[in-house]
Amino acid sequence: MVNRVPSHGLDDQGISTPASLYWNLNTAQLVEQALVREEGVLAKDGPLVVKTGKHTGRSAQDKFIVRDGETEGTIWWDNNKSMSSAQFDALREDFLAELGSKDSLFVADLYGGSQPEHRVRVRVINELAWHNLFIRTLLVRPDAHELEGFAPEFTIIDLPSFRADPARHGTRSETVIAVNLSERMILIGGTAYAGEMKKSVFGILNYMLPAKGVMPMHCSANIGPNGDTAVFFGLSGTGKTTLSADASRTLIGDDEHGWSDTAVFNFEGGCYAKMIRLSEDAEPEIYATTRRFGTVLENVVIDPETRALDLDDNSLAENTRGAYPIEFIPNASADNMGPVPKNIVMLTADAFGVLPPIARLTPDQAMYHFLSGYTAKVAGTEIGVTEPEATFSTCFGAPFMPRHPSVYGNLLKERIAKGGVSCWLVNTGWTGGKYGVGKRMPIKATRALLNAALDGSLNAVEFRKDPYFGFDVPVSVPGVDSAILDPRGTWADGQDYDATARKLVGLFIANFAKFETHVDQGVKEAAPHAA
Ligand SMILES: Nc1ncnc2c1ncn2[C@@H]1O[C@H](COP(=O)(O)OP(=O)(O)O)[C@@H](O)[C@H]1O
Ligand SMILES: C=C(OP(=O)(O)O)C(=O)O
Ligand SMILES: [Mn+2]
């Protein structure tokens, strides 16, 4: 087994363990290890299939940032939970003791960030081979030469079997994601959901890059045939991954990017797609990744005999996931980078049936919607609960933003002010009125509208002003059923639509109150009105 110990070993970092250390194993070696250690099984066509147990998604309430001299004045504490240095010290001591009790550990040296001058060197130490495979698949893989002298700037220790102690560590539960920005260490324990690792690296870059004048973004990105980059902001489930994989455009990445003076660059080197009810017809590129070696499938149900996948089975999780290297998508950028954007798309999944499937935004409206970060969930699964649930998550990613939203907002504002960028709001949510009646927007319709927006042809059609939100909505678009362009028309009773629209406007206005003092008059006036 290739297992070259790098020049900067764990001893350099004050970490000592009798465990066998597996350094920078490749995909085949890590899959082999995962199977030998019975961490997962192989699916029919090659993917490694694993279960994460209790945690099948992120534990946002269990994430903490250490509050110290470095972070006191730089972190947006209203949105980030704090941990004291003493609590972190105790946690680190216990993590290091636990490392000492392991027989084997897997270590990967990786980059967060594709643009060389803006990346961060991250070392990830895992107790699970499949977690090591996951993070190696998701982040940017250094070449053999770069690995030799690799000196980590940040270290992540990821121990799913660790149990945090609320009394000793100040945590809320046995689960902990503790981020120490001055010691440059992240400790993840008590959860096996692999997405926690990649989003931790996102948090690091979201903290560091604004100081270098780079805008970090929770978005996907791709490049059109004319070299026109588009970025797609959106909260989880709004369609970043789905819509960015489009055969007619070159994929830069599906989730986390930086916008520097010269480029849009992926923070990652892999994608993390939702697998639940994935359709081969609507998402052929992503579907194909479920049929090859190198993909890691989390909580996807598999027949123990035939090893066939059942992507429709949500018995282990609704949030079933697939991780694969970006080159598994046929038309992916070789360097995970593209030119600065021509189009900014804000994705939302509106469950109220109020927002149109596409709208054109002025720069002020774009700022308003960026700071609002609206999406919605359909009502809960309990019988009788029919009201959709609105979520406002600023910058379309509040859980990942260590700094105040105005920091990210101002970076966006500067970029839009330079000119040459068109902004769009795209609703991938539910049409046709109240939930129960409504249907999710067909992926093909969303793609058709997006492509018309991105290739410029949408600018040639007739627009109307939305009476509530004030943005421009196309009246008809070639190749798209005009009926879906006007949400009010899809409701059985227009007055029901109006009542629901007024309610949603009220939610927007109440949510935006906290930003009023941070924005100028133009952005304030971009607020919706209860017409
Ligand atoms: N019109 C649509 N646009 C995008 N996704 C849709 C649409 N309709 C249904 N979906 C489904 O919604 C989910 C979007 O998730 P995903 O692309 O992973 O979002 P994100 O990457 O923003 O978290 C996928 O499961 C996709 O199949
Ligand atoms: C990985 C995640 O991101 P997204 O759902 O936006 O793809 C997540 O939220 O855990
Ligand atoms: Mn995604």
Side-chain angles (χ1 to χ4, degrees), residues 87-101 159 162-165 168-169 187:
Q87 286 164 336
F88 185 85
D89 288 347
L91 188 68
R92 185 187 42 218
E93 187 181 322
D94 296 347
F95 262 70
L96 295 185
E98 189 106 343
L99 285 184
S101 75
L159 299 173
F162 184 88
R163 294 291 172 262
D165 174 359
R168 178 167 157 80
H169 307 125
L187 305 173

Side-chain angles (χ1 to χ4, degrees), residues 426-469:
V426 167
N427 174 18
T428 64
W430 290 261
T431 56
K434 281 188 177 139
Y435 177 58
V437 181
K439 279 216 166 57
R440 186 101 190 238
M441 204 71 73
I443 295 177
K444 286 185 179 172
T446 303
R447 284 199 202 277
L449 291 171
L450 267 176
N451 286 332
L454 302 183
D455 73 16
S457 57
L458 196 59
N459 280 318
V461 310
E462 186 194 335
F463 284 82
R464 64 175 175 89
K465 279 240 179 298
D466 184 280
Y468 296 98
F469 285 84

Side-chain angles (χ1 to χ4, degrees), residues 29-44:
Q29 293 167 324
L30 286 167
V31 171
E32 240 166 51
Q33 288 290 324
L35 295 174
V36 168
R37 295 156 50 89
E38 299 185 4
E39 293 176 4
V41 296
L42 280 188
K44 190 158 111 325

Side-chain angles (χ1 to χ4, degrees), residues 149-212:
F150 192 99
E153 294 167 275
F154 269 87
T155 301
I156 297 176
I157 308 179
D158 165 61
L159 299 173
S161 70
F162 184 88
R163 294 291 172 262
D165 174 359
R168 178 167 157 80
H169 307 125
T171 57
R172 191 189 67 117
S173 71
E174 293 182 334
T175 302
V176 63
I177 298 100
V179 180
N180 190 323
L181 291 165
S182 27
E183 293 185 18
R184 302 189 160 216
M185 179 173 272
I186 297 179
L187 305 173
I188 303 175
T191 170
Y193 177 66
E196 238 28 290
M197 290 181 277
K198 67 160 246 149
K199 289 291 210 235
S200 297
V201 175
F202 189 36
I204 294 172
L205 288 162
N206 288 341
Y207 182 71
M208 294 173 68
L209 291 183
K212 300 171 75 181

Side-chain angles (χ1 to χ4, degrees), residues 253-277:
D254 80 321
D255 196 46
E256 312 170 3
H257 293 81
W259 182 343
S260 69
D261 288 342
T262 53
V264 165
F265 62 97
N266 195 348
F267 291 168
E268 305 183 287
C271 303
Y272 194 32
K274 288 177 190 67
M275 289 291 150
I276 197 70
R277 295 179 282 275

Side-chain angles (χ1 to χ4, degrees), residues 197-512:
M197 290 181 277
K198 67 160 246 149
K199 289 291 210 235
S200 297
V201 175
F202 189 36
I204 294 172
L205 288 162
N206 288 341
Y207 182 71
M208 294 173 68
L209 291 183
K212 300 171 75 181
V214 175
M215 182 180 182
M217 308 177 285
H218 189 215
C219 71
S220 58
N222 63 20
I223 315 165
N226 302 319
D228 54 304
T229 298
V231 294
F232 305 81
F233 287 98
L235 289 160
S236 187
T238 57
K240 295 183 298 299
T241 301
T242 297
L243 299 169
S244 60
D246 181 325
S248 67
R249 302 178 63 88
T250 300
L251 182 64
I252 304 175
D254 80 321
D255 196 46
E256 312 170 3
H257 293 81
W259 182 343
S260 69
D261 288 342
T262 53
V264 165
F265 62 97
N266 195 348
F267 291 168
E268 305 183 287
C271 303
Y272 194 32
K274 288 177 190 67
M275 289 291 150
I276 197 70
R277 295 179 282 275
L278 182 65
S279 141
E280 180 170 18
D281 178 49
E283 304 185 50
E285 296 85 4
I286 297 175
Y287 188 85
T289 69
T290 67
R291 316 202 82 172
R292 58 189 284 189
F293 182 81
T295 294
V296 182
L297 297 174
E298 267 179 89
N299 299 315
V300 169
V301 171
I302 174 174
D303 183 310
E305 286 305 317
T306 64
R307 302 301 178 92
L309 302 172
D310 183 354
L311 298 176
D312 296 335
D313 191 330
N314 67 351
S315 59
L316 291 175
E318 182 66 23
N319 184 28
T320 57
R321 292 276 178 160
Y324 47 87
I326 188 154
E327 58 267 21
F328 279 18
I329 297 294
N331 187 5
S333 150
D335 60 1
N336 306 336
M337 295 210 272
V340 295
K342 283 261 182 292
N343 285 282
I344 294 173
V345 179
M346 298 182 184
L347 300 172
T348 180
D350 175 32
F352 287 86
V354 166
L355 295 178
I358 193 161
R360 188 172 58 195
L361 304 178
T362 65
D364 285 335
Q365 288 166 345
M367 278 304 293
Y368 184 88
H369 286 277
F370 178 73
L371 289 173
S372 296
Y374 166 70
T375 195
K377 287 194 273 275
V378 292
T381 40
E382 302 112 277
I383 295 163
V385 180
T386 53
E387 279 295 297
E389 206 186 300
T391 309
F392 291 93
S393 182
T394 190
C395 312
F396 294 102
F400 321 114
M401 301 301 163
R403 296 181 186 266
H404 191 272
S406 57
V407 172
Y408 308 102
N410 287 334
L411 286 164
L412 184 67
K413 187 176 163 186
E414 283 166 23
R415 280 157 176 72
I416 294 178
K418 279 191 184 153
V421 201
S422 304
C423 302
W424 309 90
L425 185 72
V426 167
N427 174 18
T428 64
W430 290 261
T431 56
K434 281 188 177 139
Y435 177 58
V437 181
K439 279 216 166 57
R440 186 101 190 238
M441 204 71 73
I443 295 177
K444 286 185 179 172
T446 303
R447 284 199 202 277
L449 291 171
L450 267 176
N451 286 332
L454 302 183
D455 73 16
S457 57
L458 196 59
N459 280 318
V461 310
E462 186 194 335
F463 284 82
R464 64 175 175 89
K465 279 240 179 298
D466 184 280
Y468 296 98
F469 285 84
F471 40 49
D472 291 337
V473 181
V475 175
S476 73
V477 178
V480 177
D481 178 2
S482 296
I484 67 162
L485 296 173
D486 177 12
R488 191 173 189 273
T490 67
W491 284 59
D493 182 340
Q495 288 182 351
D496 281 349
Y497 173 88
D498 292 327
T500 308
R502 271 187 229 110
K503 183 171 189 175
L504 182 59
V505 167
L507 296 174
F508 265 89
I509 289 169
N511 171 70
F512 205 80

